Amino acid sequence: MVDGTTDTYHEPMIEQSRRRVPVPVAVAAVAILLAATAILLGAMSSTGPSTVVGLVVGLLVLALAYGLWRGSGRARFWTTVFATAGAVYAVVPFTGLGVTTLLQIVVAALVVVLLLVPASSRRWFHDLPVTE
């Protein structure tokens, strides 16, 4: 700017090395995280062998949520399997469909849909380039 002209300086674009987690995957991971928290709290309030089993299951569910967040295809597969099994398990004792049972079915179905249907979720787990 010595001669009085204005020069616009543009910063070079910063290339991001980490991808952003798609919203459907983030919602599914948070739902799984909440389920893991409920399992762990239930395990801590119980006594005997069920405490150890609850802690192990809760930690495995936490690992699934972390795997979803990181884009692990295995975590997506196992989360889909366990969510489907959870929904089926909730439907099998057809008597006494309460609010908790309906909530379990809805959340499990929502997680499966969020992981399998949106294109952003499929790209996240298959590490395909993002096209805009």
Side-chain angles (χ1 to χ4, degrees):
M1 238 174 30
V2 175
D3 61 355
T5 61
T6 58
D7 186 27
T8 311
Y9 178 72
H10 295 285
E11 290 286 326
M13 292 184 67
I14 299 172
E15 194 170 322
Q16 292 182 345
S17 61
R18 296 193 66 189
R19 303 178 302 155
R20 286 189 172 183
V21 179
V23 173
V25 175
V27 170
V30 168
I32 299 298
L33 182 65
L34 291 174
T37 303
I39 292 169
L40 289 170
L41 288 175
M44 286 188 230
S45 66
S46 65
T47 57
S50 61
T51 302
V52 175
V53 171
L55 289 174
V56 169
V57 169
L59 292 175
L60 288 174
V61 173
L62 277 176
L64 287 176
Y66 178 73
L68 292 177
W69 193 263
R70 300 284 297 171
S72 168
R74 288 183 182 144
R76 177 185 181 209
F77 172 78
W78 286 112
T79 301
T80 304
V81 167
F82 291 139
T84 304
V88 169
Y89 176 74
V91 172
V92 168
F94 199 62
T95 58
L97 277 174
V99 175
T100 307
T101 305
L102 289 175
L103 183 64
Q104 181 181 352
I105 294 168
V106 168
V107 170
L110 179 68
V111 166
V112 170
V113 167
L114 287 173
L115 293 178
L116 298 179
V117 174
S120 61
S121 294
R122 293 191 308 266
R123 274 194 309 272
W124 178 251
F125 293 105
H126 293 295
D127 200 23
L128 298 174
V130 177
T131 57
E132 309 230 2

